[in-house]
Every structure is written in C-alpha cells, then in structure tokens.
Amino acid sequence: MSIETRAQQKNNLRKIFIKTYGCQMNVYDSQRMSDSLSAEGYMMAENIEEADIILLNTCHIREKAAEKLYSDLGRLRIMRKERGQIPLTIGVTGCIAQAEGEEIIRRAPVVDLIIGPQNYHHLPHILKEVEKGIKIVKTDYVMEDKFANLPLPKKETIRRRGVSAFLTVQEGCDKFCTFCVVPYTRGVEVSRSVEQIVLEAENLIDAGVSEITLLGQNVNGWHGKDVNAHEWRLSDLLFRLAEIKGLKRLRYTTSHPRNMNDTLIAAHRDLPMLMPYLHLPIQTGSDRILKAMNRQHTAVDYRHLIERIRKAQPDIALSGDFIVGFPGETDADFEETLKLVHDVFYASAYSFKYSPRPGTPGADMANQIDEQKKEERLQRLQILLGKQQKQFLQSKVGKVIDILIEKPGRHKGQMIGRSPWLMPVALKTTAPVGTMLNVIIEEAKRNSLIGRFQE
Ligand code: 5AD
Ligand code: SF4
C-alpha cells in the first residue's frame, strides 16, 4: 500500500464540519476548503456532533458577527470536555482569524488553529501539524495564488450544491471606506486570471450548473488580460463566460458605484444572460456623510448612475446596503437617506446600524451616535425599504416570467425556482431541478412570489 493511500485511509476516519458566517464569499471559501480536504481523503460530517474537526469560517464586518464566534467557541469548549478522550480539533478561519490572529487563542484556548483567508491552500498541511498537538496561526498575506493551489470540486459535489453556483473572481478592497474592516481582513484588490475563471466556470457548467454568480468585494473592479494581452473589464469576462455552452444565467455581486463603467452598463442591455438585478450600495444619501465615509462620490453621482443603468435595462431590480448612525450623522443627513431611497426605489436592500470596528477610522471619530437614535433611524429606513420591496413584488403579479427551478419546496409537489430579480418563486410542478420554466405570477408574499406553470 502506498504511503498516500495509507494517509487517505487514516484521514477517512476524520470528519470535518465547516460552519460559515457572513457573506457569499465565505460560503464560496468554505466550499473550496471542503474541496481541498475531500481531495486529501477527509470526509464531510453531516452535522457538528459527528465531526472530529470543526472549522468556524468567520465574519468580522459588524460587532455582532464577531460576538457570535466567541459564544460558539464557548459551546465548543463544553463539547470538547464532553468528548473526553476522543479528539476534537477546532479551527477558526475567515475574517476574524485574519483580524485577531492569536488573540483568539488567548481568549479561547480551545482553538487549535487560526487561518486567514489568503492561506486556505495550506489547510491540509496545517491540519496534519495540528494533529501532532501543535497550535498554528497562519495569517500572512502571501503572494502566491491560493485559488491556483486549491483543487476544483468533483462533479458529484457540484451537483449536490445545486444548479446555481458562486465563483469568486476578485478579492480584497483598496477603497478604505472609513467604517469597513474589509481592506484590513481581505487585503488589497486582486483579480483572478481569465483562464482560471473560465476553467472553473466550465467545470461547474459541465457538472450541471445553470447559473453562476461572480463574486468579489469590488467585483466590478475586476480586470484581467485576454490571450492577446488586451486589457479586459468585467463586461468582457461576462461576454466570454456567456459563450460556454449550457450556461443559462449570469450574475455578479458586490459592486461599487465608482467601478460601474459604461461597458458594464451596456452589458445589462446587450447580454440577455446577464440577469436584471444589481446590488449597488451607496450606504447613505448625505453628501457630508458620504465624504466622511470616504466613498469618493456624491449622491447626485449615484442618482445619475442609476438613471444610466435604468436607461440601458429598464427592467433592472436595484438592491443596496445602508448604514444608519455613522458618526456625525444628523437628523437632516438621515432625511437625505430617506429621500434618496424614496427616489431611487429599491427592489430589496440591506440596512444596518453603524458598528464601530477597531482599527478603522470611523471607530475613532467624534460624535458617535447613541444606540437609541440608530435604532429609531433603522426602523424608519426599514419600513420604507419594506414598502418598496412589497410594491416591487406586487408589480410582478399577473406577469409571465422565466424561472430556474432550484430545489423542492416545503409542500408536496412544490418546487422553488428563482426569478430573474433573485427573489424565489414557489410553484406546483414536476419539472426537475435545473429546468427553466415560464410561470405566471399569482401572488406576492413578503419575500417571495407564488406562480403557476404556463404550458
Ligand atoms: N457597521 C455597519 N455596517 C457595516 N457594513 C460594513 N461595515 C459596517 C460597519 N462597520 C455594511 C455595509 C456594507 C455591508 C457589506 O455591510 O453596508 O456594504
Ligand atoms: Fe468595505 Fe468600502 Fe471596500 Fe466595500 S468598498 S469592502 S464597504 S472598504
């Protein structure tokens, strides 16, 4: 028996559970980590109780997300005690791992390994070291390409994950918005190469994936070179991916207004495969606060941008992110946000209370807003956004739309599909996962639609 086969047999006994917190990029990273560990012979545990190795892939964006890690680690400390002699390895990955490093082990000695997002390709090797009883912290910013060193998933794994897949094309951020930890946890903006992205997309589509969402912290800042060394923008990449036979839908997220260039706007008009949905955060409607946030554009710039996008693709559903209670935000500033939301009209949007993050300029600014005020503003903003979402969903009732069947629904004979504007559509059908159907919308729920198949 070769040494490798023996190692695989040994690893076969070890089951891994990865818990993912936060954004879609973490979901993607968790998948890539599990792909690399499967290739080494580890098995994926169905639930946390049966795992021998538990990885917590964390989010650092707001304080609440970080607090969750420590309460989960408290539970894992008890779990390890209850295991007695049976070994349990506990690791922390993701953005808290990057930001806090060995501080996590000081606060929670139950943790055996800490790995930052740029080091996931070292995971199999690190796990072997940890199993010898050594604690490891690896959070360097490496120049080597982690994605090139991570194996692609197997066909059956892709199929199990569904017909819609994420593909990270860009990572990191150089924009340094004064509220945000991302530039510190994910590093500078890096774009993956065209060849790598195409290869990965082909692998996904070959296994049956119909819809790909390109991911990046500043996805519309992605750039690369084609075979003739010509500079490519995200729109060129989208057109290239659309040529792959079998792909039905493309999406991308998250975009920054400053990177929303003419060719990308034109792609929303000229590339039918590109879904009419755009997540384009502005955070606040006040120019004063936009400046304090270092967003590098004004509210009017954003309004003009939206006008151009809507002109290119009138059917587009807009989404955004908002922060209320950034330091110095007055009632008048907040009214500007409400006014902007009112005028732009969002199909869906995320809104948050400002959470001061250690190490970011915003945390040290004077005029921090009290929690009560933040709460009041958040409530008012969410009521307005909720009304807009309802109105958007209602506007689809009576329309015939294309949906992509994704999974079985909760009720017998029911399937859940996805509309072009991202919200789910429930309907009765025997059509299998991956089918595109024309559906007439009969009812709008809070976050979804109810449809009927039209022959
Ligand atoms: N406090 C509150 N919300 C934040 N976000 C990022 N940093 C913070 C913070 N410190 C929000 C922004 C961003 C989204 C991903 O999270 O709205 O667009
Ligand atoms: Fe954070 Fe701003 Fe970069 Fe988005 S653009 S990741 S909010 S620093």
Side-chain angles (χ1 to χ4, degrees):
M1 191 187 287
S2 72
I3 295 171
E4 190 156 282
T5 329
R6 245 187 241 128
Q8 285 200 347
Q9 276 199 349
K10 185 165 171 274
N11 289 340
N12 261 333
L13 306 171
R14 308 281 284 152
K15 285 192 175 171
I16 309 231
F17 187 86
I18 306 179
K19 178 170 177 181
T20 309
Y21 309 73
C23 67
Q24 292 142 327
M25 195 162 294
N26 267 7
V27 173
Y28 176 82
D29 284 348
S30 293
Q31 291 176 350
R32 296 302 299 265
M33 283 191 267
S34 90
D35 296 339
S36 87
L37 293 168
S38 301
E40 292 287 320
Y42 290 92
M43 281 171 63
M44 291 301 127
E46 296 279 318
N47 54 58
I48 204 158
E49 282 76 27
E50 67 169 45
D52 306 296
I53 300 163
I54 297 171
L55 299 177
L56 304 177
N57 192 14
T58 59
C59 170
H60 200 229
I61 200 96
R62 284 169 291 275
E63 198 181 352
K64 261 209 186 120
E67 278 167 1
K68 203 151 182 337
L69 167 69
Y70 288 102
S71 67
D72 283 354
L73 285 174
R75 270 193 289 280
L76 290 183
R77 189 169 58 86
I78 298 167
M79 191 167 158
R80 178 181 277 171
K81 234 189 195 156
E82 286 170 357
R83 291 265 178 116
Q85 293 301 310
I86 305 165
L88 175 64
T89 303
I90 295 168
V92 176
T93 63
C95 293
I96 305 183
Q98 187 64 43
E100 295 186 3
E102 55 194 23
E103 178 60 28
I104 300 173
I105 299 184
R106 262 197 291 278
R107 251 181 96 173
V110 71
V111 174
D112 303 299
L113 66 140
I114 309 276
I115 309 183
Q118 306 310 323
N119 290 282
Y120 293 155
H121 52 303
H122 295 303
L123 184 56
H125 166 72
I126 289 175
L127 272 179
K128 286 198 181 86
E129 292 296 300
V130 168
E131 287 183 357
K132 292 181 201 154
I134 309 164
K135 292 208 185 231
I136 294 196
V137 177
K138 194 144 179 69
T139 55
D140 355 323
Y141 282 114
V142 274
M143 285 318 286
E144 69 212 34
D145 184 343
K146 73 167 171 196
F147 289 117
N149 291 303
L150 283 167
L152 290 175
K154 295 196 195 92
K155 280 207 171 63
E156 63 265 26
T157 309
I158 298 172
R159 275 193 211 109
R160 200 168 0 96
R161 287 176 185 156
V163 285
S164 184
F166 294 136
L167 201 174
T168 293
V169 299
Q170 180 278 332
E171 208 177 355
C173 180
D174 305 334
K175 298 212 165 49
F176 290 93
C177 298
T178 52
F179 53 82
C180 187
V181 287
V182 167
Y184 311 93
T185 56
R186 291 273 173 172
V188 294
E189 286 183 24
V190 175
S191 293
R192 292 180 68 195
S193 74
V194 174
E195 302 88 80
Q196 250 193 51
I197 296 166
V198 170
L199 189 78
E200 193 170 328
E202 283 172 346
N203 189 52
L204 292 169
I205 296 160
D206 197 34
V209 163
S210 304
E211 177 178 274
I212 293 183
T213 303
L214 305 183
L215 298 181
Q217 262 99 25
N218 275 289
V219 71
N220 56 348
W222 178 91
H223 59 98
K225 287 196 171 25
D226 67 9
V227 282
N228 303 315
H230 290 141
E231 187 69 16
W232 272 28
R233 313 290 287 266
L234 187 65
S235 48
D236 302 302
L237 180 65
L238 288 164
F239 276 99
R240 171 67 187 86
L241 294 175
E243 286 171 8
I244 305 174
K245 235 177 141 253
L247 184 64
K248 292 174 184 151
R249 288 177 161 187
L250 275 166
R251 302 178 185 275
Y252 60 94
T253 198
T254 282
S255 297
H256 192 287
R258 281 179 58 85
N259 292 125
M260 207 64 216
N261 57 48
D262 289 342
T263 59
L264 186 54
I265 296 175
H268 277 284
R269 180 190 60 214
D270 302 332
L271 185 59
M273 205 184 276
L274 183 58
M275 290 295 99
Y277 176 92
L278 179 63
H279 184 68
L280 194 65
I282 181 169
Q283 315 294 352
T284 168
S286 152
D287 283 342
R288 233 171 48 80
I289 301 297
L290 281 167
K291 193 152 193 283
M293 287 178 165
N294 190 31
R295 293 290 292 181
Q296 298 175 42
H297 65 81
T298 63
V300 167
D301 295 336
Y302 184 85
R303 283 170 186 260
H304 286 160
L305 187 55
I306 299 292
E307 267 170 34
R308 281 162 54 215
I309 296 163
R310 285 218 163 106
K311 208 161 153 211
Q313 173 49 286
D315 193 30
I316 204 147
L318 281 172
S319 163
D321 291 335
F322 293 92
I323 295 178
V324 300
F326 185 78
E329 186 187 70
T330 61
D331 286 342
D333 291 317
F334 177 62
E335 292 300 325
E336 296 280 326
T337 300
L338 292 178
K339 190 163 177 321
L340 180 123
V341 170
H342 175 269
D343 296 347
V344 170
F345 189 83
Y346 290 90
S348 72
Y350 304 89
S351 46
F352 314 98
K353 287 186 280 186
Y354 171 65
S355 166
R357 307 306 291 127
T360 61
D364 297 326
M365 286 181 187
N367 302 323
Q368 298 283 330
I369 307 297
D370 74 60
E371 280 304 303
Q372 175 72 28
K373 192 106 216 147
K374 286 184 197 170
E375 189 59 49
E376 280 166 27
R377 288 180 184 165
L378 186 68
Q379 294 260 330
R380 283 184 66 199
L381 178 58
Q382 290 188 338
I383 288 171
L384 176 59
L385 290 168
K387 273 189 193 148
Q388 295 192 340
Q389 175 166 326
K390 193 170 171 196
Q391 200 179 328
F392 180 83
L393 288 167
Q394 203 63 43
S395 73
K396 302 299 174 195
V397 175
K399 302 243 160 69
V400 177
I401 67 169
D402 272 356
I403 67 160
L404 172 65
I405 301 288
E406 278 192 347
K407 57 183 181 196
R410 257 183 300 159
H411 306 292
K412 200 165 172 269
Q414 190 192 49
M415 296 297 276
I416 308 293
R418 200 159 289 274
S419 71
W421 315 282
L422 207 60
M423 71 287 263
V425 181
L427 77 159
K428 283 220 163 85
T429 179
T430 52
V433 167
T435 320
M436 294 282 295
L437 286 183
N438 265 335
V439 164
I440 179 151
I441 301 302
E442 296 190 316
E443 197 187 334
K445 297 275 192 195
R446 234 169 81 93
N447 302 303
S448 62
L449 298 166
I450 309 286
R452 180 166 48 83
F453 176 43
Q454 266 228 328
E455 303 274 349

